[in-house]
Amino acid sequence: MSAPIHIVLAFDDNFWAPAYTVMRSVCLSTHRRKDLVFHLLHMPISDEHRYDIEGIVREFGASLRWYPLEKSELFDFFVAELPASSRWPKIVYARLLMADILPTDIERIIYLDCDMLVRAPIEKLYELDLGGHPLGAVQDSLQPFIMGRRDMRQNVGIFDTADSYFNSGMLLVDLPKWRELNVKAEVAVIAGKGWIERLYYDQDVLNLVFRNRWQALPWRWNTIDAHLAHEALNAHILHYTRETKPWGLFAGMLRSSAYSRWYRHVMTNDLFYRFMRHRWKRYWLKKLRLAR
């Protein structure tokens, strides 16, 4: 029997369908489906949506492990002072606690954001050399702007725009080496410097903690801002970082996202349209609340 391949996702009930999709894309792109173990760090999930996600087990024989965070004192305490928004809820910080939440016998994991589509055997990523570092990632294509912010100088004193900076949507992690750093303590130091409100959520935090301690991986494993032109470049993992997502109402017609039609069929037509209705319902409920 082959060794398991451990993959971590973090999401809430408003992202159940994209979470299912990235997992299904992993399964569709490898022959080692029964070796896949998905570790799901999540906020409350409805029974219906949990059943949808468990379709990964029924269809492919992969394993799911659930980690509910809504009653986790560790998670609540850790995220209490960290910035969040409607687009970036506090669940995004769950990846910072992977080493504390996951079983200690797991030595290597891949973390994937839920706005991704995998097109290559995930074991090829899992087996990449990290050069002795605790973390492997892909350099962010918007690196200087994200680091410097307005006029490339807003965050002087925190980042140097000439340094390397990675996108946190895909992380290949050596968990024993990660644990040696004590990420929670490192975040406390960052908070103590008064930087938290100036940071770009978890990604800036990770880049500060792992500055000069990460391995650059090939861009194909996290193809950022995935749009139509990327269909010609044989990307291994597409990362839909744009405002326009492949599950949008007109994604198939506008084709602004790479492989948008492919994405819909990976999500499955049934789930795609149910997710669309879910999002429209949330949108109009929010409008009505604001109008009162």
Side-chain angles (χ1 to χ4, degrees):
M1 183 177 177
S2 301
I5 300 170
H6 297 281
I7 301 170
V8 178
L9 284 76
F11 58 95
D12 59 24
D13 204 34
N14 291 318
F15 245 67
W16 98 95
Y20 166 84
T21 306
V22 70
M23 286 189 283
R24 190 164 187 255
S25 72
V26 171
C27 294
L28 289 168
S29 300
T30 181
H31 292 291
R32 294 181 57 184
R33 291 152 186 159
K34 293 186 179 180
D35 295 332
L36 299 172
V37 183
F38 293 102
H39 300 265
L40 310 181
L41 315 182
H42 65 92
M43 298 306 282
I45 302 291
S46 72
D47 291 341
E48 178 187 11
H49 295 163
R50 181 168 177 139
Y51 181 81
D52 289 332
I53 291 170
E54 287 171 345
I56 296 298
V57 180
R58 296 189 296 272
E59 184 175 6
F60 300 106
S63 300
L64 301 182
R65 297 183 186 176
W66 300 82
Y67 302 82
L69 298 181
E70 67 269 18
K71 295 180 181 179
S72 168
E73 293 183 3
L74 170 64
F75 180 73
D76 287 345
F77 177 79
F78 184 73
V79 303
E81 303 300 322
L82 295 175
S85 68
S86 57
R87 185 180 178 189
W88 304 101
K90 293 199 172 183
I91 189 65
V92 300
Y93 296 108
R95 75 195 78 184
L96 294 167
L97 296 173
M98 293 185 295
D100 300 276
I101 295 170
L102 298 182
T104 56
D105 62 337
I106 299 174
E107 295 194 351
R108 176 170 284 216
I109 61 97
I110 296 171
Y111 170 86
L112 295 175
D113 270 355
C114 292
D115 57 348
M116 287 181 150
L117 185 72
V118 176
R119 299 182 55 254
I122 202 69
E123 60 269 25
K124 292 185 178 180
L125 170 60
Y126 199 70
E127 295 162 1
L128 288 179
D129 182 20
L130 290 179
H133 294 290
L135 178 70
V138 172
Q139 183 162 308
D140 200 297
S141 56
L142 295 177
Q143 169 188 333
F145 177 70
I146 295 176
M147 298 170 80
R149 302 295 194 280
R150 188 177 300 114
D151 295 337
M152 306 291 186
R153 61 188 179 195
Q154 183 176 340
N155 274 351
V156 170
I158 299 178
F159 290 109
D160 187 318
T161 55
D163 288 341
S164 296
Y165 180 96
F166 60 84
N167 181 278
S168 64
M170 183 286 295
L171 304 171
L172 178 61
V173 177
D174 182 317
L175 281 175
K177 283 186 168 56
W178 175 298
R179 291 188 179 101
E180 290 174 6
L181 292 177
N182 192 348
V183 171
K184 297 194 300 297
E186 296 264 358
V187 174
V189 170
I190 293 168
K193 293 180 178 179
W195 290 350
I196 290 295
E197 293 302 323
R198 295 168 62 187
L199 298 182
Y200 185 64
Y201 304 103
D202 66 290
Q203 184 163 290
D204 271 1
V205 173
L206 281 163
N207 271 277
L208 288 171
V209 171
F210 291 96
R211 189 186 331 228
N212 300 320
R213 296 187 283 201
W214 64 281
Q215 177 69 32
L217 301 180
W219 65 268
R220 282 187 169 85
W221 289 112
N222 184 0
T223 305
I224 301 159
D225 189 26
H227 54 277
L228 192 58
H230 287 123
E231 292 188 9
L233 298 178
N234 192 30
H236 297 338
I237 298 180
L238 297 153
H239 191 180
Y240 301 105
T241 52
R242 289 181 165 194
E243 292 281 350
T244 304
K245 304 293 186 182
W247 55 76
L249 180 59
F250 301 110
M253 290 183 287
L254 297 177
R255 297 194 68 206
S256 57
S257 297
Y259 296 101
S260 55
R261 186 179 181 192
W262 185 340
Y263 186 94
R264 175 164 60 88
H265 289 290
V266 174
M267 185 178 280
T268 74
N269 274 311
D270 171 60
L271 204 55
F272 182 87
Y273 290 113
R274 279 200 283 127
F275 184 53
M276 187 185 298
R277 289 193 293 270
H278 171 83
R279 290 179 62 81
W280 273 106
K281 182 179 179 181
R282 287 183 62 232
Y283 172 81
W284 287 112
L285 285 174
K286 183 179 179 180
K287 284 284 190 182
L288 287 171
R289 285 196 298 269
L290 292 173
R292 289 175 181 171

